[in-house]
Amino acid sequence: MHGRSPVWPIRLRRPPGNTCRARWPCIARPLSLTDGWPGCSLLPAAAGKRNSTATRGQGRQAVDHAQRQACHAGEERFRIVFDNAAIAIAIADTAGILLDTNPGLAGMVGAPVEALRGTSVLRLAHPEDRAEIHTLIAGTLVAARGGTVKLERRFVRADASTGWASLAITYVKGAAGRADYLLAVGEDVTERRRLQAELRWQARHDGLTGLPNRRHLLERNHALTATAADHDRVGLCFVDLDGFKQINDRHGHRIGDQVLLAVATRLRESLPADDAIIARVGGDEFIVLVWPPADEPRITAVADRLISALATPITAGEHQPRISASIGAVTTSADTPATDLLDAADRAPYHAKTSRKDQWVLHTPDNPHTSEHDA
């Protein structure tokens, strides 16, 4: 071009997209789309429209591609977590049929993942728990089409052994037209349950003889009181061994422990299990709680059997010490507080010892008279 530079009408695009028209001198050199200043672009009107449409198309493609990549990456991350989690994970349809399980669940039940797919979750449950689990899934989660239930129930391993599992089962609504499903996450708590049961047993039993201790006895008596009928009577026999301290002093505690074990065995075997509970409540003291109806004739029969159980010498190592017992027997209303019942039985052996050992004394708190019975 020569002479004056021509002036072309152009359109200015200003953020955020408003435009205006202006006249701009044409410079005798090629113009770049980047010519101008920040925030403005110098584009002929028709070219700008074509470029804008192309840019939007490319933008949509980029977004779709990014979404696909993110979805694929998310699925990969979920699969890594699913396969490597130290807990059991299962996905089932709303009918309870397993669609997929992770190695954590497969290891817990002792079966390969492939063998678990397509089976019912109820097959993994203990037969006695299946009805309850079915009600929780169908009646709670599926009926409401949402929610989570937490439970701790028994399961059956592939070798037919049983264990305990703690589970959280969640109803998940399917996205993008997919079917709803159930997600179960849990862990094997068999060992924890075993330790809890062991601790509970230790807290309620004597460590030497394995008999219930005072705590267990009081709990059983409290339960008995709560369920007793009107006019029911309960019986208690407080057994205090005669001369046990001398055995300990003469032969040592090892022989003394063997004597206590033998005494506990004899007392336990002298009475039917459904007649009474025998507890060790002290060094040489035992208590027998007799279930209702515990009238005087029945208490008399129980006390006589306890005395007879110790009639023959006990073998402890190379020794055969003779041992007897003084027994305080109590019969009273079943609604008597346990502490009052124990106090009454605790006092009764001393009446027997002050008169003569190897006998039992019957005491009735609501009757001031006591009766003594020789062995």
Side-chain angles (χ1 to χ4, degrees):
M1 295 182 182
H2 301 283
R4 293 178 56 191
S5 297
V7 177
W8 288 355
I10 62 173
R11 183 178 65 176
L12 295 179
R13 181 182 301 158
R14 297 182 302 187
N18 297 326
T19 59
C20 63
R21 293 189 178 278
R23 299 176 68 84
W24 198 262
C26 180
I27 303 173
R29 68 177 176 83
L31 287 177
S32 169
L33 294 179
T34 60
D35 285 346
W37 56 87
C40 296
S41 60
L42 305 180
L43 298 172
K49 183 179 294 184
R50 288 194 302 271
N51 188 70
S52 176
T53 301
T55 300
R56 285 196 297 270
Q58 293 173 354
R60 283 194 298 269
Q61 292 177 0
V63 170
D64 291 343
H65 179 68
Q67 288 177 340
R68 286 194 297 272
Q69 283 187 322
C71 183
H72 181 68
E75 290 176 352
E76 286 186 342
R77 285 193 296 269
F78 172 79
R79 197 72 224 182
I80 291 174
V81 173
F82 186 83
D83 290 338
N84 294 278
I87 57 176
I89 307 176
I91 299 174
D93 63 18
T94 54
I97 303 301
L98 289 172
L99 304 176
D100 201 1
T101 67
N102 75 333
L105 178 62
M108 190 174 81
V109 300
V113 171
E114 296 76 13
L116 295 175
R117 295 190 183 114
T119 64
S120 171
V121 296
L122 296 179
R123 288 187 58 187
L124 303 180
H126 191 278
E128 296 178 1
D129 297 335
R130 288 173 183 170
E132 180 187 6
I133 295 175
H134 177 266
T135 300
L136 286 174
I137 293 176
T140 302
L141 295 178
V142 177
R145 297 190 70 242
T148 298
V149 294
K150 297 180 179 180
L151 62 156
E152 195 166 293
R153 297 292 184 274
R154 294 167 292 179
F155 68 92
V156 181
R157 301 186 182 93
D159 60 3
S161 63
T162 60
W164 283 87
S166 177
L167 298 169
I169 306 175
T170 301
Y171 188 99
V172 182
K173 294 182 179 179
R178 297 178 180 176
D180 298 350
Y181 60 92
L182 301 172
L183 174 65
V185 179
E187 60 179 337
D188 189 332
V189 295
T190 306
E191 182 64 13
R192 173 171 65 79
R193 296 276 303 201
R194 186 191 67 79
L195 291 175
Q196 288 177 339
E198 182 178 339
L199 291 174
R200 179 179 175 83
W201 191 93
Q202 291 176 354
R204 290 164 174 79
H205 290 80
D206 173 53
L208 175 64
T209 64
L211 293 176
N213 59 13
R214 180 181 290 266
R215 176 181 180 179
H216 191 178
L217 182 70
L218 290 173
E219 289 177 350
R220 294 292 296 272
N221 186 77
H222 179 73
L224 179 64
T225 301
T227 58
D230 293 341
H231 308 300
D232 269 351
R233 296 186 72 80
V234 64
L236 208 66
C237 293
F238 197 109
V239 181
D240 190 354
L241 300 183
D242 299 325
F244 178 73
K245 184 178 183 300
Q246 286 73 20
I247 295 176
N248 256 344
D249 293 342
R250 181 180 305 170
H251 303 295
H253 291 285
R254 183 177 64 85
I255 297 299
D257 286 348
Q258 292 181 31
V259 170
L260 288 173
L261 280 169
V263 168
T265 300
R266 289 191 181 188
L267 295 180
R268 184 169 50 224
E269 292 177 350
S270 69
L271 300 174
D274 56 354
D275 270 4
I277 176 175
I278 304 176
R280 184 187 178 204
V281 295
D284 58 354
E285 297 172 338
F286 301 82
I287 288 182
V288 179
L289 176 63
V290 183
W291 312 127
D295 52 17
E296 290 191 18
R298 186 162 177 234
I299 292 297
T300 297
V302 170
D304 284 339
R305 286 200 295 268
L306 295 174
I307 291 289
S308 298
L310 305 178
T312 58
I314 290 175
T315 300
E318 299 177 353
H319 307 281
Q320 285 190 325
R322 298 187 66 90
I323 194 164
S324 61
S326 297
I327 300 176
V330 176
T331 176
T332 186
S333 173
D335 59 3
T336 302
T339 52
D340 294 346
L341 190 60
L342 289 177
D343 288 343
D346 192 17
R347 291 191 298 268
Y350 295 101
H351 294 292
K353 285 182 179 292
T354 55
S355 176
R356 189 171 68 84
K357 297 179 180 180
D358 196 17
Q359 68 173 353
W360 62 271
V361 173
L362 177 62
H363 174 67
T364 306
D366 46 15
N367 185 342
H369 301 289
T370 61
S371 58
E372 299 181 2
H373 302 263
D374 294 335

